[in-house]
Every structure is written in structure tokens, then in C-alpha cells.
Amino acid sequence: SQQGEEDPQALSIQEGENATMNCSYKTSINNLQWYRQNSGRGLVHLILIRSNEREKHSGRLRVTLDTSKKSSSLLITASRAADTASYFCATAFYGQNFVFGPGTRLSVLP
Amino acid sequence: DTEVTQTPKHLVMGMTNKKSLKCEQHMGHRAMYWYKQKAKKPPELMFVYSYEKLSINESVPSRFSPECPNSSLLNLHLHALQPEDSALYLCASRERAQETQYFGPGTRLLVL
């Protein structure tokens, strides 16, 4: 069964605005990761947050993790047109392989 | 070198053809993966190789045949594919379990 589920499925914002994407999952995790995929290309790892962490930053990215609610959010601040892509969360747990959520398609309009 | 390379970038094949996809990494990663991705969907795991041994086959049809000749190379042999097999095929590698996976750019496959 699908583990991570992103919300919203599609998001359009203006350049300079912040974009927030959410991910929910169903079972225990070791860590949760966010990946970006530009149209028709490979996935690029953005950030990894471990199950004992609550918040992590990387440049314009801020990720939070709430294990009690089994959810995570990815915030991109001051978005740029180059941030237009699909964003996937992926969960990892011992003895299991990555499970990707369905993804959020972000469009940043100039 | 943190790059995973895949060849070819694009492939068009008929249902009776035999072709191969190739993936290479020189990061010393001991686990390598094949994923299939349809448009607007997340990647779906097909195969996992760990220390050059096939550890996971996610019920993939036998018309897909993986091969790991050495720790840096991963092949996916294709035979008698169906049009519904048209997709983006992604290769990935990782150093440690549950940690970051590094993806190649993918091979876009069209089966006619």
C-alpha cells in the first residue's frame, strides 16, 4: 500500500511567494526524504529528516516532521520559476524499501 | 563524483525487439535500483541489487531481466515488451540502507 501521500497534488504560485507541500504516511519510519523532479528527468535529493528530528533547514527549504501525526511538510521560501517541478516525499524504514508518495506538481509563475 | 549515468536517454523499440538499458555509478555504492515511472506518477520499484546480488524483485514480468555485472554497473534487458511498458526507467544507487538515493536522468522508453 502507498506510504507517503502528498497534499496538494498541484500548486500554482507567483514568484516570490512561499510554497508549502504536505506529506502523510501510515507506518513507522527511520527517516523521511524529499526529492524534486524536473519534467521528465531524474529525481534530485533535497533533504532528509530523521524520525527523531522535528525540523530541518537547507537554504530556502524548511522541512518539519510530526511523527505523532505521521506527517511532514516542505516549505520553499521566496520561490523562483526554477522551482517549478514535481516534489515527492519518500519514507524509509528498516528492512523496507523507499515508498514514494504521489507527488505535488508545483508551478511558479513569473 | 556523485553522478549516476544512464544510457540511452531515449529508446524506441518494437514489441519483438531486444534492447538493454545501462546504468553506471562510481560512488562505491553497493545497492542499486531500477524504477519505472509513468507520467504524473511516482517511481515504482522494480528491482534492487545489494552487493551485486538481486535482493528484491517486485513481481516484475519476466520480459524485464536485470543484470549486475559488477558493483558499478546495472543493466536492464528488455524483450517482447508491451506498449504499456512505455515509461521513464530510472536507476538509482545508495551507500547505506534507508539513506539518500542518487538517481540517474532516466531512459525514456517508447514501445510501439
XYZ file of all heavy atoms in Angstrom, chain B residues 32-34 46-58 60 64-68 74-76:
217
model
N 21.908 -0.886 -5.785
C 21.435 -0.205 -6.990
C 20.014 -0.636 -7.280
O 19.616 -1.770 -6.953
C 22.361 -0.500 -8.172
C 23.779 0.029 -7.966
S 24.874 -0.230 -9.371
C 24.296 1.042 -10.511
N 19.274 0.269 -7.883
C 17.836 0.091 -8.045
C 17.399 0.387 -9.482
O 17.956 1.267 -10.126
C 17.071 1.077 -7.148
C 17.369 0.996 -5.673
C 18.554 1.502 -5.147
C 16.442 0.438 -4.800
C 18.815 1.438 -3.787
C 16.692 0.376 -3.442
C 17.883 0.880 -2.942
O 18.127 0.815 -1.587
N 16.368 -0.311 -9.920
C 15.623 0.076 -11.113
C 14.202 0.451 -10.691
O 13.555 -0.277 -9.941
C 15.534 -1.060 -12.132
C 16.743 -1.261 -12.972
C 17.565 -2.342 -12.994
C 17.260 -0.358 -13.957
N 18.565 -2.172 -13.903
C 18.395 -0.960 -14.518
C 16.876 0.903 -14.429
C 19.174 -0.351 -15.512
C 17.643 1.507 -15.408
C 18.778 0.883 -15.935
N 11.234 -1.626 -9.136
C 11.203 -2.869 -9.911
C 12.160 -3.896 -9.300
O 11.766 -5.004 -8.972
C 11.609 -2.598 -11.360
C 10.714 -1.646 -12.112
S 11.370 -1.286 -13.757
C 11.045 -2.836 -14.612
N 13.433 -3.511 -9.202
C 14.473 -4.428 -8.739
C 15.438 -3.703 -7.796
O 15.675 -2.510 -7.939
C 15.296 -4.977 -9.911
C 14.504 -5.704 -10.954
C 14.231 -5.113 -12.176
C 14.048 -6.999 -10.719
C 13.509 -5.779 -13.146
C 13.328 -7.674 -11.688
C 13.054 -7.062 -12.896
N 15.994 -4.496 -6.878
C 17.058 -3.990 -6.004
C 18.217 -4.969 -6.057
O 18.013 -6.185 -5.891
C 16.597 -3.848 -4.542
C 17.754 -3.304 -3.680
C 15.386 -2.937 -4.432
N 19.418 -4.456 -6.276
C 20.632 -5.251 -6.166
C 21.411 -4.749 -4.962
O 21.624 -3.546 -4.798
C 21.499 -5.126 -7.417
C 21.160 -6.126 -8.488
C 20.123 -5.891 -9.386
C 21.852 -7.324 -8.580
C 19.802 -6.828 -10.349
C 21.538 -8.266 -9.554
C 20.509 -7.999 -10.437
O 20.197 -8.929 -11.397
N 21.830 -5.694 -4.129
C 22.640 -5.360 -2.973
C 23.890 -6.210 -3.028
O 23.791 -7.440 -3.071
C 21.856 -5.623 -1.688
O 22.625 -5.289 -0.556
N 25.047 -5.570 -3.040
C 26.319 -6.290 -3.187
C 26.261 -7.229 -4.381
O 26.647 -8.399 -4.296
C 26.665 -7.040 -1.899
C 27.041 -6.113 -0.761
C 26.058 -5.582 0.071
C 28.355 -5.733 -0.546
C 26.395 -4.698 1.087
C 28.700 -4.854 0.468
C 27.714 -4.350 1.282
O 28.042 -3.472 2.287
N 25.768 -6.705 -5.474
C 25.724 -7.381 -6.772
C 24.804 -8.588 -6.810
O 24.817 -9.343 -7.785
C 27.140 -7.767 -7.226
C 28.056 -6.561 -7.360
C 29.531 -6.911 -7.317
O 29.917 -7.845 -8.045
O 30.291 -6.264 -6.562
N 24.009 -8.753 -5.798
C 23.044 -9.848 -5.787
C 21.630 -9.275 -5.818
O 21.336 -8.291 -5.116
C 23.211 -10.720 -4.546
C 24.428 -11.614 -4.558
C 24.398 -12.549 -3.368
C 25.411 -13.675 -3.434
N 26.724 -13.335 -3.880
N 20.755 -9.909 -6.601
C 19.377 -9.464 -6.667
C 18.703 -9.750 -5.339
O 18.608 -10.892 -4.906
C 18.650 -10.187 -7.801
C 17.193 -9.782 -8.035
C 17.099 -8.320 -8.474
C 16.547 -10.683 -9.076
N 18.267 -8.687 -4.689
C 17.652 -8.895 -3.374
C 16.141 -8.711 -3.417
O 15.429 -9.264 -2.600
C 18.270 -7.957 -2.325
O 18.038 -6.612 -2.670
N 15.680 -7.918 -4.342
C 14.239 -7.684 -4.438
C 13.816 -7.644 -5.897
O 14.459 -6.983 -6.717
C 13.837 -6.361 -3.749
C 14.017 -6.504 -2.240
C 12.393 -5.990 -4.091
C 13.639 -5.281 -1.453
N 12.740 -8.364 -6.183
C 12.093 -8.317 -7.485
C 10.616 -8.095 -7.187
O 9.941 -8.986 -6.681
C 12.318 -9.633 -8.229
C 11.526 -9.710 -9.533
O 10.602 -8.939 -9.768
N 11.875 -10.639 -10.384
N 10.162 -6.896 -7.485
C 8.790 -6.543 -7.105
C 7.770 -7.061 -8.111
O 7.043 -6.290 -8.738
C 8.675 -5.016 -6.956
C 9.407 -4.449 -5.766
C 8.701 -4.729 -4.447
O 7.534 -5.176 -4.470
O 9.314 -4.510 -3.394
N 7.952 -8.216 -11.067
C 8.094 -7.639 -12.398
C 8.008 -8.751 -13.442
O 8.593 -9.824 -13.246
C 9.451 -6.906 -12.509
C 9.627 -6.316 -13.911
C 9.557 -5.818 -11.455
N 11.291 -8.265 -18.407
C 12.340 -7.393 -17.873
C 13.336 -8.280 -17.133
O 12.958 -9.002 -16.205
C 11.755 -6.371 -16.889
C 10.825 -5.381 -17.511
C 9.454 -5.643 -17.558
C 11.290 -4.202 -18.045
C 8.576 -4.728 -18.137
C 10.432 -3.272 -18.616
C 9.071 -3.542 -18.659
N 14.597 -8.190 -17.518
C 15.605 -9.043 -16.904
C 16.780 -8.193 -16.439
O 17.518 -7.639 -17.257
C 16.073 -10.082 -17.923
O 17.133 -10.846 -17.406
N 16.986 -8.063 -15.120
C 18.094 -7.230 -14.644
C 19.390 -8.024 -14.599
O 19.393 -9.251 -14.526
C 17.639 -6.854 -13.237
C 16.862 -8.045 -12.779
C 16.190 -8.600 -14.012
N 20.482 -7.277 -14.609
C 21.802 -7.901 -14.514
C 22.745 -6.913 -13.841
O 22.699 -5.710 -14.136
C 22.335 -8.241 -15.910
C 23.722 -8.866 -15.920
C 24.363 -8.816 -17.296
O 23.910 -8.028 -18.157
O 25.347 -9.554 -17.493
N 23.594 -7.416 -12.966
C 24.569 -6.558 -12.285
C 25.952 -7.152 -12.522
O 26.426 -7.968 -11.720
C 24.251 -6.459 -10.795
S 25.227 -5.221 -9.916
N 24.784 -1.618 -13.792
C 23.481 -2.284 -13.692
C 22.836 -2.215 -15.061
O 22.797 -1.157 -15.685
C 22.611 -1.571 -12.656
C 21.306 -2.228 -12.246
C 21.564 -3.559 -11.546
C 20.505 -1.310 -11.321
N 22.369 -3.356 -15.536
C 21.699 -3.409 -16.827
C 20.251 -3.852 -16.636
O 19.916 -4.551 -15.672
C 22.397 -4.396 -17.764
C 23.820 -4.001 -18.081
O 24.116 -2.827 -18.285
N 24.712 -4.981 -18.121
N 19.427 -3.457 -17.576
C 18.052 -3.948 -17.623
C 17.798 -4.404 -19.045
O 17.764 -3.595 -19.971
C 17.058 -2.863 -17.202
C 15.599 -3.304 -17.086
C 15.439 -4.374 -15.992
C 14.689 -2.116 -16.782
